[in-house]
mmCIF file of all heavy atoms in Angstrom:
data_model
loop_
_atom_site.group_PDB
_atom_site.id
_atom_site.type_symbol
_atom_site.label_atom_id
_atom_site.label_comp_id
_atom_site.label_asym_id
_atom_site.label_seq_id
_atom_site.Cartn_x
_atom_site.Cartn_y
_atom_site.Cartn_z
ATOM 1 N N SER H 690 -0.304 6.703 20.927
ATOM 2 C CA SER H 690 0.354 7.785 21.677
ATOM 3 C C SER H 690 -0.687 8.826 22.057
ATOM 4 O O SER H 690 -1.815 8.790 21.532
ATOM 5 C CB SER H 690 1.464 8.418 20.827
ATOM 6 O OG SER H 690 0.946 8.867 19.583
ATOM 7 N N PHE H 737 -1.004 15.793 -3.874
ATOM 8 C CA PHE H 737 -2.333 16.412 -3.981
ATOM 9 C C PHE H 737 -2.536 17.220 -5.259
ATOM 10 O O PHE H 737 -3.515 17.928 -5.396
ATOM 11 C CB PHE H 737 -2.586 17.301 -2.748
ATOM 12 C CG PHE H 737 -2.518 16.521 -1.463
ATOM 13 C CD1 PHE H 737 -1.380 16.548 -0.665
ATOM 14 C CD2 PHE H 737 -3.583 15.722 -1.069
ATOM 15 C CE1 PHE H 737 -1.313 15.809 0.509
ATOM 16 C CE2 PHE H 737 -3.524 14.974 0.113
ATOM 17 C CZ PHE H 737 -2.391 15.019 0.896
ATOM 18 N N PHE H 744 -0.264 23.303 -9.356
ATOM 19 C CA PHE H 744 0.795 23.848 -8.493
ATOM 20 C C PHE H 744 0.178 24.643 -7.346
ATOM 21 O O PHE H 744 -0.995 25.019 -7.397
ATOM 22 C CB PHE H 744 1.743 24.757 -9.304
ATOM 23 C CG PHE H 744 2.487 24.012 -10.383
ATOM 24 C CD1 PHE H 744 2.042 24.050 -11.712
ATOM 25 C CD2 PHE H 744 3.611 23.260 -10.070
ATOM 26 C CE1 PHE H 744 2.715 23.346 -12.700
ATOM 27 C CE2 PHE H 744 4.286 22.561 -11.054
ATOM 28 C CZ PHE H 744 3.843 22.603 -12.371
ATOM 29 N N MET H 777 -9.606 22.930 -1.637
ATOM 30 C CA MET H 777 -10.219 22.016 -2.606
ATOM 31 C C MET H 777 -11.696 21.754 -2.322
ATOM 32 O O MET H 777 -12.376 21.099 -3.121
ATOM 33 C CB MET H 777 -9.468 20.665 -2.621
ATOM 34 C CG MET H 777 -7.973 20.763 -2.865
ATOM 35 S SD MET H 777 -7.534 21.677 -4.342
ATOM 36 C CE MET H 777 -8.068 20.537 -5.599
ATOM 37 N N GLY H 795 4.302 11.529 11.083
ATOM 38 C CA GLY H 795 3.454 10.731 11.974
ATOM 39 C C GLY H 795 2.723 11.568 13.012
ATOM 40 O O GLY H 795 1.491 11.541 13.110
ATOM 41 N N SER H 796 3.484 12.353 13.769
ATOM 42 C CA SER H 796 2.872 13.092 14.881
ATOM 43 C C SER H 796 1.894 14.171 14.402
ATOM 44 O O SER H 796 1.114 14.698 15.197
ATOM 45 C CB SER H 796 3.947 13.701 15.768
ATOM 46 O OG SER H 796 4.812 14.485 14.991
ATOM 47 N N SER H 819 -5.652 4.090 11.668
ATOM 48 C CA SER H 819 -4.577 4.738 12.419
ATOM 49 C C SER H 819 -4.725 6.257 12.317
ATOM 50 O O SER H 819 -4.256 6.873 11.357
ATOM 51 C CB SER H 819 -3.217 4.287 11.858
ATOM 52 O OG SER H 819 -2.188 4.822 12.647
ATOM 53 N N LEU H 835 7.906 25.947 27.759
ATOM 54 C CA LEU H 835 8.898 25.574 26.733
ATOM 55 C C LEU H 835 10.260 26.087 27.166
ATOM 56 O O LEU H 835 10.483 27.302 27.230
ATOM 57 C CB LEU H 835 8.508 26.183 25.382
ATOM 58 C CG LEU H 835 7.134 25.779 24.847
ATOM 59 C CD1 LEU H 835 6.842 26.480 23.529
ATOM 60 C CD2 LEU H 835 7.068 24.253 24.675
ATOM 61 N N HIS H 877 -6.214 7.924 32.680
ATOM 62 C CA HIS H 877 -6.809 7.958 34.014
ATOM 63 C C HIS H 877 -6.505 9.318 34.667
ATOM 64 O O HIS H 877 -7.394 9.980 35.233
ATOM 65 C CB HIS H 877 -6.229 6.808 34.844
ATOM 66 C CG HIS H 877 -6.748 6.747 36.233
ATOM 67 N ND1 HIS H 877 -8.002 6.249 36.518
ATOM 68 C CD2 HIS H 877 -6.212 7.133 37.415
ATOM 69 C CE1 HIS H 877 -8.203 6.327 37.828
ATOM 70 N NE2 HIS H 877 -7.131 6.868 38.389
ATOM 71 N N PRO H 932 5.758 20.876 42.462
ATOM 72 C CA PRO H 932 5.339 19.831 41.510
ATOM 73 C C PRO H 932 5.552 20.272 40.053
ATOM 74 O O PRO H 932 4.677 20.871 39.432
ATOM 75 C CB PRO H 932 3.845 19.635 41.813
ATOM 76 C CG PRO H 932 3.490 20.640 42.860
ATOM 77 C CD PRO H 932 4.629 21.573 43.058
ATOM 78 N N THR H 936 8.973 16.715 29.914
ATOM 79 C CA THR H 936 8.991 15.724 28.842
ATOM 80 C C THR H 936 9.949 16.260 27.782
ATOM 81 O O THR H 936 10.268 17.454 27.767
ATOM 82 C CB THR H 936 7.583 15.432 28.288
ATOM 83 O OG1 THR H 936 7.703 14.411 27.286
ATOM 84 C CG2 THR H 936 6.921 16.653 27.659
ATOM 85 N N LEU H 943 13.570 20.974 26.806
ATOM 86 C CA LEU H 943 12.635 20.387 27.781
ATOM 87 C C LEU H 943 11.288 21.086 27.664
ATOM 88 O O LEU H 943 11.215 22.279 27.360
ATOM 89 C CB LEU H 943 13.148 20.592 29.218
ATOM 90 C CG LEU H 943 14.081 19.511 29.783
ATOM 91 C CD1 LEU H 943 15.428 19.541 29.083
ATOM 92 C CD2 LEU H 943 14.276 19.704 31.287
#
Side-chain angles (χ1 to χ4, degrees):
S690 55
F737 301 100
F744 296 99
M777 306 306 289
S796 55
S819 185
L835 301 178
H877 179 77
T936 182
L943 271 69

